[in-house]
Amino acid sequence: MDSIHYLSLLVFMFVSTITPGPNVVMVTASGANFGIKRTLPHLFGIAVGCYIIMVLEALGINQLFAEFPSIPLLIKIVGTLYLTWLGLKLFRKGKPEKQTSRSRPLYLRESVLLQFLNPKGWILTLTVMSGYTIQGNDYWLSVLIVSSIYAWSGTFTSGVWMVLGSQVAKVMRDEKHWRLFNGTMGLLTMACAVMLWTGI
């Protein structure tokens, strides 16, 4: 497989992941509220979750989904509830220094969980696995290369939004601005939950 093939994957992943979705919205809000350093576990959790899902795809987990269609439905239901809960928490946030001591960014494990509960992430990984891996002796090598491009391109684009969020925080001075920002991010997160069912 030549470098052009992988370059096309990189372009595809950049276009697919730079647009707003659960990861983008959450890391943007986290970058603004908690800063870059405290958001890094959330960011790296995206990469870890993507790697795990890609390996499961390579091992044929979709056959299990085909045999038991209730599993994807359960993922969608739990994903909807989780995103709605995260969105509501974010919607209620005010200025960072006025947030409670319990307010914190997602841990790495929670970020990994978020990848598992995003049905669109599963669909995207299936598209990438079926379109960019090769069969035969080099299959697992191609899985490693493709999953690395997939995971780290998504992490990079989410990281761009995280940095953007941290910069936005510098221009928001009062409680009103923070309420507007966090309220918008919370609504967008809940909109992502709705979009799981609309096919958008």
Side-chain angles (χ1 to χ4, degrees):
M1 189 177 296
D2 56 34
S3 58
I4 298 299
H5 187 86
Y6 292 124
L7 179 61
S8 69
L9 171 60
L10 187 60
V11 173
F12 170 75
M13 286 307 306
F14 179 82
V15 173
S16 299
T17 58
I18 196 67
T19 51
N23 286 324
V24 164
V25 174
M26 293 300 296
V27 297
T28 303
S30 184
N33 283 276
F34 304 110
I36 293 175
K37 184 176 180 180
R38 294 185 66 193
T39 302
L40 286 178
H42 181 169
L43 186 67
F44 291 137
I46 296 173
V48 173
C50 288
Y51 267 120
I52 295 173
I53 290 174
M54 291 290 279
V55 170
L56 292 175
E57 296 269 14
L59 292 171
I61 196 172
N62 284 294
Q63 296 177 6
L64 180 65
F65 289 171
E67 187 171 350
F68 299 100
S70 59
I71 296 178
L73 177 61
L74 180 62
I75 290 175
K76 185 179 289 190
I77 292 172
V78 176
T80 299
L81 294 174
Y82 188 50
L83 285 173
T84 301
W85 177 69
L86 290 173
L88 286 171
K89 284 181 61 179
L90 187 52
F91 184 82
R92 299 191 187 105
K93 285 182 183 294
K95 200 172 182 179
E97 55 261 34
K98 291 188 177 181
Q99 295 171 15
T100 67
S101 59
R102 296 176 59 187
S103 183
R104 60 169 179 78
L106 290 184
Y107 294 141
L108 186 143
R109 62 177 179 272
E110 293 169 325
S111 179
V112 171
L113 176 63
L114 183 59
Q115 311 316 305
F116 275 81
L117 296 178
N118 183 4
K120 289 192 173 183
W122 286 96
I123 294 172
L124 184 58
T125 55
L126 177 60
T127 301
V128 170
M129 288 294 292
S130 60
Y132 291 95
T133 56
I134 58 176
Q135 301 301 314
N137 294 333
D138 293 330
Y139 174 69
W140 283 105
L141 176 60
S142 71
V143 168
L144 176 62
I145 296 173
V146 168
S147 61
S148 296
I149 294 174
Y150 178 95
W152 291 108
S153 60
T155 303
F156 173 78
T157 52
S158 294
V160 170
W161 285 97
M162 175 188 67
V163 173
L164 178 61
S166 70
Q167 295 305 304
V168 168
K170 295 179 180 180
V171 300
M172 293 189 294
R173 300 299 181 187
D174 56 38
E175 179 74 10
K176 178 182 176 181
H177 292 152
W178 278 102
R179 288 285 181 186
L180 178 61
F181 175 79
N182 284 329
T184 301
M185 293 294 103
L187 289 174
L188 287 173
T189 301
M190 288 184 277
C192 290
V194 175
M195 288 166 58
L196 297 182
W197 301 89
T198 62
I200 297 175

